[in-house]
Amino acid sequence: MDERQRSLSGQTYDAHAPVFLELKRRTRQLLSQYNQLAYDQKSEKRTILQAMFAKIGWA
């Protein structure tokens, strides 16, 4: 079982494992892109949110 599987199952895990560091790096990159978008760039924002989350609640 890898560290990500351990975290999802509620077990103790190493938060500094490479898998989490990569997730953190990618999320920071996406957040930076999102924050640079103008208010009316809704479709671009949605695309970024879909890359970050498995499901979003806005139609």
Side-chain angles (χ1 to χ4, degrees):
M1 181 178 290
D2 68 14
E3 295 301 312
R4 187 171 184 184
Q5 290 171 327
R6 292 174 60 86
S7 73
L8 293 172
S9 69
Q11 297 179 23
T12 303
Y13 63 94
D14 178 7
H16 300 289
V19 64
F20 295 117
L21 297 177
E22 176 57 24
L23 287 170
K24 186 175 177 180
R25 183 199 66 75
R26 179 70 177 138
T27 300
R28 284 185 175 180
Q29 178 185 36
L30 290 168
L31 281 173
S32 178
Q33 291 173 9
Y34 184 91
N35 288 330
Q36 291 177 23
L37 294 173
Y39 176 79
D40 62 348
Q41 291 181 282
K42 304 282 188 202
S43 65
E44 293 89 343
K45 287 183 174 188
R46 182 178 177 83
T47 300
I48 291 172
L49 291 174
Q50 287 174 321
M52 290 174 58
F53 302 105
K55 182 177 179 182
I56 58 175
W58 126 55

